[in-house]
């Protein structure tokens, strides 16, 4: 029992430190100066270690090993100078020794290949890369070296694995959220799962579409910068993952948006961008017009089809009828969230194909795979009125049908 209590205290202390020193400062974009303090302590420690070494090792040994960065004592005088002493007299057999010496120096340690090894350090940095063969010097120096090993392998190494840990935490949190909604997801064709440096496009039914997809992989989100609690969450997300957030004024600048997205997908180490080209939630029966912006960027498009099973609960978010809190309450009180996700082969823009044609081709593929009805209408009609130009076009078509060939 005492061991369990001790382990619990250690874990709670560790979590408190992580939250106070890492999560909260990252969320608010605040620096506590820990990195600067760490560097100052490190410099002072290495200076102290160097002084201790110089006291513990004989001067002759240090000078002998630090006099040259190589393994031989090389004569640095140019060959022209050595040849000048041979000119103007008869050749002697002993003259061969000078050329032999230069040749052996080049073979044993030439000036080129040694540049492909780590630079030698005159002082010791508690790691390696020094010519001096240090043995036991003092107990305090040994204790500092052991402490350095602990810091490097138990603190710095896990921090270097930040990306891997970030993705693991990301996936874990999303899976917890999906299970809290009694979610059951069936993923198909996982060999086509979106890859880094690409764009993932999917039909849009619900805000939880993001959770559905990020349960099986990590994505970079695209959206507008918010304030308040959502803004804090966004800033924390950017610290862990390169999401693409825009200011309200920037969202209206299509060229800027396209430029930022192109820069993201150009880096093949960054997560694939997740985009819902419909721009609004559709009721899980159809796929409406895909906006062409996502298909003007270039790069590889990874289509994904999502289809919910309405038998266990309605996943569609009717934002004109329910606010986010009411919608989430309905989700959490439904029997389950059951859906199928189909990863589809990657698609690229064909020669002579414009962005609209490419968008329609991807939309058709998603509709066929998900068993959804393909519609040409803009999802923006959910909130906006039909444009007058579109009404006039329909009136003209109707008039032609009545009149026939257009002549009275």
């Amino acid at each position: 029992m005492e061991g369990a209590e001790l382990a619990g205290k250690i874990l709670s202390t560790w979590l408190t430190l992580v939250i106070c020193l890492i999560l909260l400062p990252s969320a608010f974009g605040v620096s506590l100066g820990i990195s600067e303090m760490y560097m100052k302590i490190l410099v002072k420690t290495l200076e102290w270690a160097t002084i201790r070494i110089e006291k513990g090792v004989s001067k002759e040994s240090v000078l002998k090993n630090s006099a040259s960065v190589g393994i031989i004592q090389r004569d640095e005088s140019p060959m022209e100078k050595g040849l000048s002493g041979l000119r103007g007299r008869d050749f002697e057999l002993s003259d061969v020794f000078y050329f032999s010496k230069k040749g052996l120096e080049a073979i044993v340690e030439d000036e080129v290949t040694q540049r492909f090894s780590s630079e030698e350090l005159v002082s010791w940095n508690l790691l390696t890369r020094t010519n001096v063969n240090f043995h036991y010097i003092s107990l305090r120096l040994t204790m500092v070296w052991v402490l350095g090993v602990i810091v490097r392998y138990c603190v710095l190494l896990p921090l270097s694995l930040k990306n891997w840990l970030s993705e693991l935490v990301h996936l874990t949190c999303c899976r917890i959220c999906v299970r809290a909604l009694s979610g059951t997801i069936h993923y198909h064709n996982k060999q086509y799962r979106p890859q880094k440096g690409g764009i993932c496009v999917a039909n849009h039914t619900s805000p939880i579409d993001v959770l559905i997809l990020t349960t099986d992989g990590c994505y970079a989100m695209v959206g507008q910068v918010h304030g308040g609690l959502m803004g804090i969450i966004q800033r924390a997300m950017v610290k862990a993952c390169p999401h693409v957030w825009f200011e309200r004024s920037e969202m209206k600048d299509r060229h800027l948006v396209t430029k930022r997205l192109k820069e993201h997908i150009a880096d093949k180490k960054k997560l694939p961008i997740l985009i819902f080209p419909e721009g609004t939630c559709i009721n899980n029966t159809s796929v409406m017009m895909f906006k062409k912006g996502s298909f003007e960027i270039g790069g590889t498009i990874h289509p994904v089809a999502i289809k919910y099973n309405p038998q266990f609960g309605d996943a569609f978010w009717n934002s004109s009828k329910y606010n986010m809190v009411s919608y989430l309450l309905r989700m959490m009180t439904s029997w389950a969230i059951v859906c199928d996700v189909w990863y589809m082969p990657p698609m690229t823009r064909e020669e002579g194909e414009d962005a609209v044609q490419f968008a329609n081709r991807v939309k058709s593929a998603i509709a066929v795979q998900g068993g959804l009805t393909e519609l040409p209408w803009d999802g923006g009609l959910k909130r906006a009125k039909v444009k007058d130009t579109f009404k006039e076009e329909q009136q003209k078509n109707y008039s032609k049908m009545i009149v026939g060939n257009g002549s009275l």
Side-chain angles (χ1 to χ4, degrees):
M1 292 296 292
E2 292 182 358
E5 291 179 0
L6 179 61
K9 290 180 179 179
I10 294 174
L11 180 60
S12 61
T13 303
W14 174 253
L15 291 176
T16 302
L17 290 174
V18 169
I19 292 172
C20 295
L21 300 180
I22 298 177
L23 294 182
L24 290 179
S26 298
F28 291 97
V30 177
S31 175
L32 300 179
I34 296 176
S35 298
E36 292 79 3
M37 186 184 303
Y38 166 72
M39 290 305 300
K40 290 180 180 178
I41 294 174
L42 184 60
V43 170
K44 294 291 184 182
T45 303
L46 295 181
E47 289 177 352
W48 174 84
T50 301
I51 294 172
R52 290 295 304 170
I53 289 168
E54 290 176 351
K55 290 181 178 179
V57 180
S58 62
K59 283 189 175 180
E60 292 78 9
S61 176
V62 174
L63 291 174
K64 179 182 177 181
N65 286 279
S66 61
S68 173
V69 296
I71 61 176
I72 61 175
Q73 187 66 34
R74 183 188 293 272
D75 180 11
E76 298 297 338
S77 60
M79 187 176 290
E80 288 78 4
K81 184 178 179 180
L83 290 175
S84 62
L86 303 179
R87 296 190 180 97
R89 62 180 178 80
D90 295 334
F91 175 79
E92 297 179 4
L93 185 60
S94 60
D95 295 340
V96 176
F97 294 132
Y98 175 78
F99 296 100
S100 301
K101 176 176 176 291
K102 288 292 185 180
L104 289 174
E105 286 179 354
I107 294 172
V108 174
E109 188 182 29
D110 66 276
E111 294 181 348
V112 178
T113 55
Q114 63 176 316
R115 300 299 184 254
F116 304 133
S117 301
S118 297
E119 177 189 6
E120 294 289 350
L121 302 178
V122 176
S123 62
W124 190 31
N125 62 355
L126 301 180
L127 295 173
T128 53
R129 294 166 54 202
T130 177
N131 287 324
V132 181
N133 186 20
F134 294 119
H135 297 285
Y136 174 80
I137 295 176
S138 71
L139 178 61
R140 283 190 294 174
L141 187 59
T142 302
M143 291 177 63
V144 170
W145 179 82
V146 172
L147 179 61
V149 172
I150 295 173
V151 170
R152 288 188 290 114
Y153 284 91
C154 299
V155 178
L156 299 182
L157 179 61
L159 289 178
S160 301
L161 299 175
K162 185 183 74 170
N163 291 338
W164 177 79
L165 290 173
S166 174
E167 293 188 10
L168 178 61
V169 171
H170 192 175
L171 292 171
T172 302
C173 291
C174 292
R175 287 165 183 168
I176 291 173
C177 291
V178 168
R179 288 174 184 176
L181 296 173
S182 301
T184 301
I185 311 169
H186 304 286
Y187 297 98
H188 308 276
N189 307 326
K190 284 195 174 186
Q191 69 272 23
Y192 298 130
R193 190 160 40 190
Q195 302 298 314
K196 292 183 177 181
I199 302 173
C200 174
V201 298
N203 58 301
H204 198 21
T205 303
S206 162
I208 65 173
D209 290 342
V210 176
L211 287 177
I212 297 299
L213 293 176
T214 52
T215 298
D216 192 45
C218 294
Y219 298 87
M221 307 300 171
V222 179
Q224 182 178 309
V225 174
H226 294 275
L229 178 60
M230 183 58 71
I232 293 175
I233 295 174
Q234 284 183 322
R235 288 192 293 272
M237 291 172 66
V238 168
K239 293 287 184 179
C241 177
H243 298 289
V244 185
W245 304 126
F246 295 96
E247 298 289 345
R248 184 183 295 274
S249 59
E250 295 176 334
M251 289 293 289
K252 298 178 181 179
D253 189 343
R254 288 185 57 191
H255 295 290
L256 177 62
V257 173
T258 302
K259 179 175 178 292
R260 290 271 301 277
L261 295 180
K262 282 184 177 180
E263 291 174 352
H264 184 99
I265 65 173
D267 189 346
K268 300 305 179 183
K269 295 181 180 179
K270 290 187 176 180
L271 297 175
I273 297 176
L274 176 58
I275 298 178
F276 300 102
E278 290 169 297
T280 188
C281 295
I282 311 299
N283 72 351
N284 195 42
T285 63
S286 310
V287 180
M288 299 188 74
M289 185 179 74
F290 277 8
K291 291 178 170 54
K292 66 177 183 178
S294 308
F295 303 88
E296 292 176 325
I297 302 171
T300 303
I301 298 293
H302 299 271
V304 176
I306 306 174
K307 176 65 176 177
Y308 291 89
N309 189 333
Q311 181 179 359
F312 305 98
D314 185 11
F316 169 59
W317 180 35
N318 188 347
S319 55
S320 59
K321 187 176 180 180
Y322 301 103
N323 59 30
M324 179 60 75
V325 176
S326 300
Y327 171 75
L328 291 177
L329 182 61
R330 290 179 64 245
M331 289 294 96
M332 289 186 287
T333 54
S334 38
W335 293 115
I337 302 298
V338 181
C339 71
D340 289 274
V341 175
W342 288 274
Y343 298 115
M344 302 168 62
M347 302 173 69
T348 55
R349 192 166 163 179
E350 297 177 350
E351 187 177 353
E353 187 178 43
D354 60 28
V356 174
Q357 293 171 331
F358 185 27
N360 288 334
R361 183 160 62 90
V362 174
K363 183 187 72 170
S364 298
I366 291 176
V368 171
Q369 181 64 79
L372 304 167
T373 302
E374 182 183 358
L375 298 175
W377 308 102
D378 186 354
L381 295 174
K382 182 178 181 180
R383 298 180 182 85
K385 295 182 179 179
V386 179
K387 296 180 180 180
D388 292 336
T389 54
F390 186 80
K391 292 181 181 178
E392 292 172 0
E393 185 67 26
Q394 297 304 311
Q395 290 171 352
K396 290 179 182 179
N397 292 335
Y398 184 66
S399 299
K400 289 179 180 179
M401 284 190 295
I402 294 178
V403 176
N405 58 4
S407 60
L408 295 175

